[in-house]
Amino acid sequence: MLAAGAPGAPGPSGRLLLAPVTITATKPLLPTHIKGFLWVDTLYRATRPVRDLEYYWNPRAANLTGQTIQFWDYLDRHHGDLDHDALPTDELGHLYVRFHASGDARPMDRLRHYTERVEREGWVHPSTRAATRDWKRQLDLLGVHDPGLTADRPAAASIDETVELLARRHLCVDHRRHGGPAYLDGTRWGMPLRTVIGADGHANYLLVILRDLLPRLAGGDEVLLVYDDDLAHDYALLARVLGEMGARPSRLPLGRVPIGGVVRSSRHGGWDGHSIGRLAELCLREFDPAAYRLGMRLFFIAMLKRTSSEPFRLDLLRRALSRAGRMVREAGGRCDLPAFLRGFATPAGWTDPYRLTDFLFARRAPTALLDQVYL
């Protein structure tokens, strides 16, 4: 999946839509999230000079998920007097953990006023609005391109339009008229039915993605799906559906980063001291911003690799930042950057962040590469 083409080999030259899974802004950015943003950002900045590339991020995709809306409802019922603008994002994350541990999630059919408001107005709960601002501040420090974290982007198609389109291709089984769910149907590929609309009428993240992607993809367009490795079954089905609809999908799964030797979702806690705010404070106390930006990429891309089970280690991060400082000081030389980047292209035509970043350990980095891709 990640095997790059021969150095200098020309890849596809048409439009590529980069579509990473969105993250719910209900907690601080943690090592797994940081890894995802840095892989995607490096891929975007290293692919953009060599082909037509669109980076698509829609905050509504995360804001329409059940886990986000149920958390908003929990906050409004139990913490309605919170000043979210003054609440540290780490503390919001602790409330998110407490919510999931409580089992106090109301059924989605009782929370339609939230989904309707998001759909109608692009409304965002104050907690998520404040968390997103904090994310943007931290990603700016990392030199990460803003894909539109605070943008309001209505879905390109409605739920009914998307279900109807899929049903015409026999890719959807819709039992809503009987009071049941709707399913993506991948049985022709040996895949089980996958619920995309529950009996409660709530559409999950897969249908939200399809509502956005299907109208944007012309026949033959390429789309790169980037996602957590634990979503592999859903994204294998999503890729099949996109391919059946005329797109050319490729996939980039990323492994989660263990904390304390354990891989767990942020909702289960265990991440204290590892939020991006805390890491930035520790790193920038000793290293300058350029070393921080490059060093974080060296660590999360080249040292942790795509699926490595290597746990997060502050000593290795510090080593990466020290190495980055030397690389920045010693960078030099000119290069034809587009031609150089094509040497790290995958068969699908996007630049492989691991191969490119690992290259930096081998020799002096061209100044243009650092300036345009890493800093």
Side-chain angles (χ1 to χ4, degrees), residues 263-274:
V263 176
R264 58 163 65 92
S265 169
S266 57
R267 73 187 66 177
H268 300 305
W271 44 259
D272 284 336
H274 292 82

Side-chain angles (χ1 to χ4, degrees), residues 57-60 63 122 124 132 146-154:
W57 178 283
N58 190 346
R60 289 198 187 190
N63 292 340
V124 180
T132 303
D146 180 4
L149 294 174
T150 60
D152 179 27
R153 292 172 172 156

Side-chain angles (χ1 to χ4, degrees), residues 292-329:
Y292 174 61
R293 291 180 173 189
L294 178 57
M296 290 287 274
R297 285 166 169 77
L298 295 178
F299 177 70
F300 281 100
I301 298 174
M303 296 174 75
L304 292 189
K305 303 182 176 66
R306 183 176 67 84
T307 60
S308 172
S309 58
E310 180 76 26
F312 183 90
R313 288 173 49 187
L314 277 173
D315 62 319
L316 289 183
L317 176 59
R318 187 183 185 282
R319 188 183 306 172
L321 268 68
S322 295
R323 183 66 178 271
R326 293 195 299 273
M327 287 180 179
V328 171
R329 290 192 297 271

Side-chain angles (χ1 to χ4, degrees), residues 28-81:
L29 292 174
L30 301 171
T32 293
H33 310 131
I34 300 166
K35 176 179 177 178
F37 271 113
L38 292 176
W39 270 76
V40 172
D41 183 67
T42 302
L43 188 156
Y44 170 73
R45 294 169 66 184
T47 303
R48 183 175 52 175
V50 299
R51 69 179 303 184
D52 183 12
L53 176 64
E54 179 185 355
Y55 181 173
Y56 191 73
W57 178 283
N58 190 346
R60 289 198 187 190
N63 292 340
L64 285 168
T65 62
Q67 63 178 325
T68 299
I69 287 172
Q70 288 171 327
F71 179 52
W72 290 351
D73 173 63
Y74 171 84
L75 290 176
D76 287 345
R77 286 186 290 117
H78 296 287
H79 303 280
D81 58 347

